Amino acid sequence: MENVILAVMQLADPYRAGMLLLGVCIGLTIGVIPGLGGVFGLTLLVPLTYSLDPVTAVALLVGMAAVTTTSDTIPAVLLGVPGTVGSAATVIDGHPMAENGKAAEALGAAYTASLIGGLFGAAILALSIPVMRPLVLLLNTGDLLGITIFGLTLVAVLSGGSQLKGLIAALLGIMVSLIGLDPYEGSERWTFGSLYFWEGVPTAIVFLGLFGLSELASLAGKPAISTAMPLPGRRGMFEGARSALRHWRLVLRTGGIGAVLGAVPGIGVTVIEWIAYGAAARNKGDGPAFGEGNIRGVIGPESANNSKEGGALIPTLAFGIPGSATMAILLGAFAIHGLSPGPGMLDEHQPTMIVMIISLALANVIGACICLGLTPTLARLASVPAGIVVPTTLVFVVLGAFQSHKEVLDLVVLFLFGLIGISFRLSGWSRPAFALGFVLGPNLERFFVLTYQISGWSWLGQPFVLILFALIFAAGIRQLSGWRKGRTSVETGKTPRRKDDLWLVGLIAVAVGGLVLWSLSLPFAAALLPQIVGGTTLVLACVLFGASLGSGGRWVPVNGLEWFSMRQPEIRFLLMFAVLSLLILATGHVIGPAVFVLGALLTSRALHLWGAALISLATAAISFALFNLLVPQTWPSPWLSIW
Amino acid sequence: MKKFLLALGAALLVASPIHAQDRITLQVGYSPGGSYDRVSRLVAEHLGRHLEGTPDIIVENVPGAGSLVLGRQIMAESATDGNRIATVSSALALRPVFAPDSEDFDPTQVHYLASMSNAASYCVSHKNSGIETFAQLLSDPDATVGATGKSSTTYTFPAALRSALGGEYKIVSGFDGGTEIILAMERGEIDVRCGIGMNTLTLNDNLSRFNVIAELALQPKGEIDGPVFALDLAPDAMTREALALALASSEVHFPIVAPPAADPEVVAALRDAFRALMTDEAFIAASEAGNLYTRITPGDEVEAMIAGFLAASPEVRAMARAFVE
């Protein structure tokens, strides 16, 4: 108790409290910008803490790291663009809510869930102090494999009525995730001879393309995000907060998922978020179908992605083993300040540890309050003309992707996954199922490879694994009965079965077939999973092809001109993307976006010259401040400067 | 309108990326948070004091392919002003030996400015593993050593030791990183980790949880009492030479390089700055406070050492390659 009082007094110092607030404000700002996340924020802040005392440094860093997953909800809900990789699942129901005029409600529910989840994570961290070390050691590699397999079964609830398509999408996600060096042999698998793919296709870019670009493309064809009459901001926000409180069981359950899985190094925020979404999607409650704006689809992932920070601190502090990339940097920063994680942390540094827990809790409260305060204003963004929102958002999506490696391939990959996202959305294929396969694929392979080397097949008899398999079995039975009742689910069967999207099945089959053939030249261990997954995908694609042909479904013959006119908004959007990419490559990351925004705003006549020029300048200033002043980076020389 | 657009253009040109002459970028071939990143940030804090004009040194992470992505970029850098330097994997210095067909990175072309540590690497066993000596590890077919990818030293070091010294232990590869191996050791799934450096070993309470069973270096360093010096166990001179080559990267930890195109005068100034860092009390104090074990080797000595490694006979090179496969 003495230490708690000491910690509270230390944090009550106005300077330290101010630094905590500063950390929260920086974290919130970074969370809003697509492609940036906690790692970016810590890279910015760690050098600034060298001259600070440990308590102030902890307040600043933990304050920042705790809230990026609170504000990343803003672009996810309003624009359909995940602010960080941790908010991709929030897009699925949050954005349709905004489209239906319920942006304030979605944001209110998200922040309330984030707040409760964050506090829950901090509480779990506080409660686990005495049992921290045994807790982290509880699960072995076999158990982690069991969790991964359990996670994959969630594809059933993420693809609902169109199970076959959902399954193919998930398998395709796994296939894409296997690009890179395989974990056992270290051989190059489908890397096209490029070092870029050695560590796989970058998750942030995949999600920006799959969700961000495809939603922006959809928005480009509309006058604004929402044409529905929205609830007045404040009322909608309170309505959302009430919804989150009404679903308190879900908030705590997904908060628990976040905290517990967050404490397991190697699981990762993307996996946690999709598992939480899957857990929420098991029961649609009294809302619309998942994927159409069900508030539970917002509450589940938002609670989990904030509670996971508390969980991730457990192995970081107990063993010095970071539970996430953010924690790895925090750990380095702790070392700079002489804080040594391990049993000593519980004794000699206990007051600092309590400061950490209180900072985490306070940051969540402050972050949620700031966001709630801004919600009524932010919700108005839903009625801003798409002609303004689309080009300015597109700039930050593209810059967010390009800053990850600063290679042309960043833009190519973003474009490809944008194309996949758009095709999936238009053809009723489940993007969540693809995302689930993509985030779980690497864990599936790595944990299997490790488990098999460590214990052969005996992991199948481990008690926790048996419990998970029993849960999978029970969920399977429940799902079967659900189908019989004709339940609908995420991003599915709204469209009647059509034969004209068979081109997509054909394309997938050709691509997967090519990859399987390519894998024949790989060593056995590197080829095993690709061939199993690829083979299954091909079989299922054939089944889907046959079923669709024989189903008597509606065949809509489309001639080229008609197709072109139907897809005009998407084609126009992709052209905008190409122009922006070329401008950035030709003139750099400051001038390129500014010229693009100016041109786009003037062409669309969304704004008069002064307004367009102001937004254009602001875009350039933000890009310059972020990437030249705050976190300076070496950008490739613009093509024009070479000429 | 015309005036406004001109002003706008001018403003944007002013705001365009500037490669400031009073700034040096130290790029790190790994993600933020790890040892390479921590050492580089420490260097960035202190190196500028020893350079003319006291430039700011900013750190930029360029992770990918075990720092080969950055290695390739540095090879292609055409600027001669030395405003871009890089921390790359120590293993890149031996690419001509272990990846002779690759032309990604030529250690004889880049300028080594310094290596930040020459500490030995070690093999450690968990105290609950029942393995207390290196001899026990070598003779136990059920013993397991954890490793990440097959090209990392967590794999190549134990693989070379097993081949050269006739070990029977099993290497479990596929872990995501060194910390995940340590976690598996805590759980009792893995017994041993090899290739662990002083920075990790002295961190937290690691020394109280592990037995340090073997020292992997070219000369005994005497940093820790007790472990057997692995090279002494080699059965003959050629095996010893090949094993030494396989372990050689441990001699040049955290090397910092300048591009091949860098002006010789700039390279000399940077090398002098690193030399000055060796006796810089503020740097040494910060290094100790941050639990970083730094022992700088000057750049010219690093290059001489690498030239020595690369001068090994074709037979020794082939044997070293066979050891790590």
Side-chain angles (χ1 to χ4, degrees), chain B residues 276-306:
Chain B
L277 218 48
M278 290 168 77
T279 51
D280 182 328
E281 285 179 10
F283 170 78
I284 294 166
S287 163
E288 281 167 8
N291 265 326
L292 286 171
Y293 192 89
T294 51
R295 301 287 185 275
I296 298 176
T297 306
D300 43 2
E301 290 178 32
V302 174
E303 284 190 354
M305 216 180 321
I306 292 170

mmCIF file of all heavy atoms in Angstrom, chain B residues 276-306:
data_model
loop_
_atom_site.group_PDB
_atom_site.id
_atom_site.type_symbol
_atom_site.label_atom_id
_atom_site.label_comp_id
_atom_site.label_asym_id
_atom_site.label_seq_id
_atom_site.Cartn_x
_atom_site.Cartn_y
_atom_site.Cartn_z
ATOM 1 N N ALA B 276 37.832 7.997 -30.469
ATOM 2 C CA ALA B 276 37.687 8.908 -29.331
ATOM 3 C C ALA B 276 36.593 8.427 -28.380
ATOM 4 O O ALA B 276 36.670 8.625 -27.164
ATOM 5 C CB ALA B 276 37.357 10.310 -29.840
ATOM 6 N N LEU B 277 35.610 7.762 -28.986
ATOM 7 C CA LEU B 277 34.501 7.246 -28.166
ATOM 8 C C LEU B 277 34.988 6.183 -27.166
ATOM 9 O O LEU B 277 34.394 5.991 -26.109
ATOM 10 C CB LEU B 277 33.459 6.630 -29.109
ATOM 11 C CG LEU B 277 31.973 6.804 -28.796
ATOM 12 C CD1 LEU B 277 31.610 8.231 -28.467
ATOM 13 C CD2 LEU B 277 31.142 6.301 -29.964
ATOM 14 N N MET B 278 36.085 5.515 -27.532
ATOM 15 C CA MET B 278 36.602 4.423 -26.678
ATOM 16 C C MET B 278 36.949 4.932 -25.277
ATOM 17 O O MET B 278 36.867 4.189 -24.302
ATOM 18 C CB MET B 278 37.853 3.795 -27.315
ATOM 19 C CG MET B 278 37.550 3.006 -28.568
ATOM 20 S SD MET B 278 39.048 2.576 -29.494
ATOM 21 C CE MET B 278 39.689 1.222 -28.540
ATOM 22 N N THR B 279 37.358 6.195 -25.190
ATOM 23 C CA THR B 279 37.762 6.731 -23.887
ATOM 24 C C THR B 279 36.813 7.831 -23.411
ATOM 25 O O THR B 279 37.126 8.552 -22.465
ATOM 26 C CB THR B 279 39.191 7.306 -23.977
ATOM 27 O OG1 THR B 279 39.244 8.206 -25.089
ATOM 28 C CG2 THR B 279 40.223 6.208 -24.165
ATOM 29 N N ASP B 280 35.687 7.953 -24.082
ATOM 30 C CA ASP B 280 34.714 8.988 -23.719
ATOM 31 C C ASP B 280 33.960 8.542 -22.459
ATOM 32 O O ASP B 280 33.187 7.578 -22.492
ATOM 33 C CB ASP B 280 33.751 9.173 -24.914
ATOM 34 C CG ASP B 280 32.720 10.256 -24.658
ATOM 35 O OD1 ASP B 280 32.328 10.444 -23.497
ATOM 36 O OD2 ASP B 280 32.305 10.907 -25.635
ATOM 37 N N GLU B 281 34.203 9.257 -21.378
ATOM 38 C CA GLU B 281 33.629 8.811 -20.099
ATOM 39 C C GLU B 281 32.103 8.851 -20.098
ATOM 40 O O GLU B 281 31.456 7.973 -19.524
ATOM 41 C CB GLU B 281 34.176 9.671 -18.961
ATOM 42 C CG GLU B 281 35.607 9.290 -18.627
ATOM 43 C CD GLU B 281 36.202 10.140 -17.529
ATOM 44 O OE1 GLU B 281 35.465 10.910 -16.893
ATOM 45 O OE2 GLU B 281 37.419 10.034 -17.327
ATOM 46 N N ALA B 282 31.544 9.875 -20.737
ATOM 47 C CA ALA B 282 30.074 9.982 -20.769
ATOM 48 C C ALA B 282 29.486 8.785 -21.528
ATOM 49 O O ALA B 282 28.482 8.199 -21.110
ATOM 50 C CB ALA B 282 29.660 11.279 -21.438
ATOM 51 N N PHE B 283 30.152 8.417 -22.628
ATOM 52 C CA PHE B 283 29.685 7.271 -23.417
ATOM 53 C C PHE B 283 29.778 5.986 -22.585
ATOM 54 O O PHE B 283 28.831 5.186 -22.541
ATOM 55 C CB PHE B 283 30.529 7.150 -24.694
ATOM 56 C CG PHE B 283 30.290 5.883 -25.465
ATOM 57 C CD1 PHE B 283 29.166 5.742 -26.269
ATOM 58 C CD2 PHE B 283 31.186 4.815 -25.380
ATOM 59 C CE1 PHE B 283 28.942 4.566 -26.974
ATOM 60 C CE2 PHE B 283 30.964 3.645 -26.082
ATOM 61 C CZ PHE B 283 29.835 3.518 -26.880
ATOM 62 N N ILE B 284 30.904 5.822 -21.913
ATOM 63 C CA ILE B 284 31.111 4.600 -21.125
ATOM 64 C C ILE B 284 30.081 4.528 -19.983
ATOM 65 O O ILE B 284 29.471 3.482 -19.744
ATOM 66 C CB ILE B 284 32.557 4.538 -20.580
ATOM 67 C CG1 ILE B 284 33.536 4.406 -21.759
ATOM 68 C CG2 ILE B 284 32.732 3.388 -19.605
ATOM 69 C CD1 ILE B 284 34.984 4.673 -21.418
ATOM 70 N N ALA B 285 29.851 5.673 -19.336
ATOM 71 C CA ALA B 285 28.885 5.695 -18.230
ATOM 72 C C ALA B 285 27.479 5.380 -18.734
ATOM 73 O O ALA B 285 26.749 4.585 -18.131
ATOM 74 C CB ALA B 285 28.911 7.061 -17.558
ATOM 75 N N ALA B 286 27.106 5.984 -19.886
ATOM 76 C CA ALA B 286 25.767 5.735 -20.434
ATOM 77 C C ALA B 286 25.620 4.279 -20.847
ATOM 78 O O ALA B 286 24.558 3.671 -20.681
ATOM 79 C CB ALA B 286 25.531 6.648 -21.628
ATOM 80 N N SER B 287 26.711 3.728 -21.353
ATOM 81 C CA SER B 287 26.696 2.336 -21.784
ATOM 82 C C SER B 287 26.475 1.406 -20.591
ATOM 83 O O SER B 287 25.683 0.460 -20.648
ATOM 84 C CB SER B 287 28.027 2.106 -22.498
ATOM 85 O OG SER B 287 28.308 0.800 -22.633
ATOM 86 N N GLU B 288 27.148 1.723 -19.485
ATOM 87 C CA GLU B 288 26.967 0.893 -18.290
ATOM 88 C C GLU B 288 25.569 1.075 -17.707
ATOM 89 O O GLU B 288 24.925 0.107 -17.311
ATOM 90 C CB GLU B 288 28.029 1.249 -17.241
ATOM 91 C CG GLU B 288 29.373 0.601 -17.556
ATOM 92 C CD GLU B 288 30.516 1.169 -16.737
ATOM 93 O OE1 GLU B 288 30.260 1.964 -15.809
ATOM 94 O OE2 GLU B 288 31.680 0.820 -17.049
ATOM 95 N N ALA B 289 25.118 2.327 -17.690
ATOM 96 C CA ALA B 289 23.782 2.590 -17.129
ATOM 97 C C ALA B 289 22.712 1.861 -17.938
ATOM 98 O O ALA B 289 21.714 1.410 -17.394
ATOM 99 C CB ALA B 289 23.509 4.084 -17.139
ATOM 100 N N GLY B 290 22.928 1.752 -19.232
ATOM 101 C CA GLY B 290 21.948 1.096 -20.094
ATOM 102 C C GLY B 290 22.182 -0.393 -20.221
ATOM 103 O O GLY B 290 21.568 -1.046 -21.066
ATOM 104 N N ASN B 291 23.062 -0.949 -19.393
ATOM 105 C CA ASN B 291 23.344 -2.390 -19.424
ATOM 106 C C ASN B 291 23.860 -2.849 -20.776
ATOM 107 O O ASN B 291 23.549 -3.949 -21.233
ATOM 108 C CB ASN B 291 22.074 -3.188 -19.113
ATOM 109 C CG ASN B 291 22.004 -3.553 -17.649
ATOM 110 O OD1 ASN B 291 23.050 -3.795 -17.014
ATOM 111 N ND2 ASN B 291 20.812 -3.586 -17.111
ATOM 112 N N LEU B 292 24.619 -1.984 -21.456
ATOM 113 C CA LEU B 292 25.166 -2.377 -22.757
ATOM 114 C C LEU B 292 26.661 -2.643 -22.608
ATOM 115 O O LEU B 292 27.395 -1.803 -22.075
ATOM 116 C CB LEU B 292 24.930 -1.265 -23.790
ATOM 117 C CG LEU B 292 23.499 -1.138 -24.282
ATOM 118 C CD1 LEU B 292 23.326 0.113 -25.129
ATOM 119 C CD2 LEU B 292 23.087 -2.365 -25.091
ATOM 120 N N TYR B 293 27.080 -3.789 -23.093
ATOM 121 C CA TYR B 293 28.474 -4.190 -22.958
ATOM 122 C C TYR B 293 29.204 -3.759 -24.228
ATOM 123 O O TYR B 293 29.162 -4.432 -25.251
ATOM 124 C CB TYR B 293 28.519 -5.712 -22.792
ATOM 125 C CG TYR B 293 29.855 -6.243 -22.354
ATOM 126 C CD1 TYR B 293 30.168 -6.354 -21.005
ATOM 127 C CD2 TYR B 293 30.805 -6.641 -23.290
ATOM 128 C CE1 TYR B 293 31.394 -6.854 -20.599
ATOM 129 C CE2 TYR B 293 32.032 -7.146 -22.890
ATOM 130 C CZ TYR B 293 32.318 -7.240 -21.547
ATOM 131 O OH TYR B 293 33.531 -7.741 -21.140
ATOM 132 N N THR B 294 29.852 -2.599 -24.185
ATOM 133 C CA THR B 294 30.531 -2.101 -25.388
ATOM 134 C C THR B 294 32.049 -2.140 -25.200
ATOM 135 O O THR B 294 32.565 -1.687 -24.173
ATOM 136 C CB THR B 294 30.101 -0.663 -25.718
ATOM 137 O OG1 THR B 294 30.236 0.124 -24.549
ATOM 138 C CG2 THR B 294 28.674 -0.600 -26.192
ATOM 139 N N ARG B 295 32.731 -2.689 -26.172
ATOM 140 C CA ARG B 295 34.211 -2.691 -26.212
ATOM 141 C C ARG B 295 34.576 -2.433 -27.668
ATOM 142 O O ARG B 295 34.511 -3.338 -28.511
ATOM 143 C CB ARG B 295 34.792 -4.062 -25.789
ATOM 144 C CG ARG B 295 34.416 -4.522 -24.403
ATOM 145 C CD ARG B 295 35.161 -3.711 -23.317
ATOM 146 N NE ARG B 295 34.870 -4.249 -21.999
ATOM 147 C CZ ARG B 295 33.798 -3.914 -21.256
ATOM 148 N NH1 ARG B 295 32.919 -3.052 -21.732
ATOM 149 N NH2 ARG B 295 33.603 -4.434 -20.061
ATOM 150 N N ILE B 296 34.903 -1.177 -27.959
ATOM 151 C CA ILE B 296 35.063 -0.775 -29.363
ATOM 152 C C ILE B 296 36.369 -1.299 -29.955
ATOM 153 O O ILE B 296 37.425 -1.231 -29.320
ATOM 154 C CB ILE B 296 35.019 0.761 -29.473
ATOM 155 C CG1 ILE B 296 33.655 1.267 -28.984
ATOM 156 C CG2 ILE B 296 35.290 1.221 -30.901
ATOM 157 C CD1 ILE B 296 33.514 2.776 -28.950
ATOM 158 N N THR B 297 36.278 -1.831 -31.177
ATOM 159 C CA THR B 297 37.475 -2.162 -31.946
ATOM 160 C C THR B 297 37.546 -1.154 -33.098
ATOM 161 O O THR B 297 36.560 -1.005 -33.838
ATOM 162 C CB THR B 297 37.385 -3.587 -32.538
ATOM 163 O OG1 THR B 297 37.106 -4.494 -31.479
ATOM 164 C CG2 THR B 297 38.664 -3.988 -33.225
ATOM 165 N N PRO B 298 38.657 -0.445 -33.262
ATOM 166 C CA PRO B 298 38.738 0.553 -34.338
ATOM 167 C C PRO B 298 38.549 -0.073 -35.718
ATOM 168 O O PRO B 298 38.881 -1.245 -35.930
ATOM 169 C CB PRO B 298 40.149 1.121 -34.186
ATOM 170 C CG PRO B 298 40.549 0.808 -32.789
ATOM 171 C CD PRO B 298 39.869 -0.480 -32.441
ATOM 172 N N GLY B 299 38.074 0.764 -36.653
ATOM 173 C CA GLY B 299 37.712 0.278 -37.976
ATOM 174 C C GLY B 299 38.836 -0.397 -38.736
ATOM 175 O O GLY B 299 38.626 -1.443 -39.375
ATOM 176 N N ASP B 300 40.053 0.180 -38.683
ATOM 177 C CA ASP B 300 41.142 -0.437 -39.447
ATOM 178 C C ASP B 300 41.480 -1.829 -38.903
ATOM 179 O O ASP B 300 41.794 -2.749 -39.663
ATOM 180 C CB ASP B 300 42.383 0.474 -39.484
ATOM 181 C CG ASP B 300 42.678 1.105 -38.136
ATOM 182 O OD1 ASP B 300 41.942 0.804 -37.173
ATOM 183 O OD2 ASP B 300 43.642 1.879 -38.037
ATOM 184 N N GLU B 301 41.357 -1.972 -37.575
ATOM 185 C CA GLU B 301 41.605 -3.303 -37.002
ATOM 186 C C GLU B 301 40.516 -4.292 -37.406
ATOM 187 O O GLU B 301 40.785 -5.467 -37.650
ATOM 188 C CB GLU B 301 41.686 -3.210 -35.468
ATOM 189 C CG GLU B 301 42.950 -2.501 -34.985
ATOM 190 C CD GLU B 301 42.990 -2.369 -33.459
ATOM 191 O OE1 GLU B 301 42.460 -3.245 -32.764
ATOM 192 O OE2 GLU B 301 43.566 -1.366 -32.994
ATOM 193 N N VAL B 302 39.282 -3.795 -37.476
ATOM 194 C CA VAL B 302 38.177 -4.671 -37.899
ATOM 195 C C VAL B 302 38.439 -5.150 -39.327
ATOM 196 O O VAL B 302 38.307 -6.344 -39.638
ATOM 197 C CB VAL B 302 36.817 -3.921 -37.837
ATOM 198 C CG1 VAL B 302 35.693 -4.767 -38.418
ATOM 199 C CG2 VAL B 302 36.490 -3.535 -36.417
ATOM 200 N N GLU B 303 38.841 -4.225 -40.187
ATOM 201 C CA GLU B 303 39.078 -4.598 -41.593
ATOM 202 C C GLU B 303 40.229 -5.597 -41.699
ATOM 203 O O GLU B 303 40.160 -6.550 -42.491
ATOM 204 C CB GLU B 303 39.360 -3.348 -42.430
ATOM 205 C CG GLU B 303 38.073 -2.588 -42.689
ATOM 206 C CD GLU B 303 38.216 -1.467 -43.712
ATOM 207 O OE1 GLU B 303 39.356 -1.185 -44.149
ATOM 208 O OE2 GLU B 303 37.176 -0.878 -44.060
ATOM 209 N N ALA B 304 41.267 -5.410 -40.883
ATOM 210 C CA ALA B 304 42.399 -6.347 -40.912
ATOM 211 C C ALA B 304 41.939 -7.733 -40.467
ATOM 212 O O ALA B 304 42.322 -8.768 -41.051
ATOM 213 C CB ALA B 304 43.513 -5.836 -40.015
ATOM 214 N N MET B 305 41.086 -7.736 -39.443
ATOM 215 C CA MET B 305 40.581 -9.011 -38.929
ATOM 216 C C MET B 305 39.756 -9.741 -39.996
ATOM 217 O O MET B 305 39.919 -10.933 -40.236
ATOM 218 C CB MET B 305 39.711 -8.716 -37.712
ATOM 219 C CG MET B 305 39.834 -9.766 -36.629
ATOM 220 S SD MET B 305 38.823 -9.443 -35.181
ATOM 221 C CE MET B 305 38.876 -7.746 -34.880
ATOM 222 N N ILE B 306 38.876 -8.967 -40.663
ATOM 223 C CA ILE B 306 38.021 -9.573 -41.697
ATOM 224 C C ILE B 306 38.889 -10.096 -42.851
ATOM 225 O O ILE B 306 38.656 -11.193 -43.376
ATOM 226 C CB ILE B 306 36.977 -8.551 -42.204
ATOM 227 C CG1 ILE B 306 35.982 -8.256 -41.084
ATOM 228 C CG2 ILE B 306 36.244 -9.064 -43.433
ATOM 229 C CD1 ILE B 306 35.041 -7.097 -41.351
#
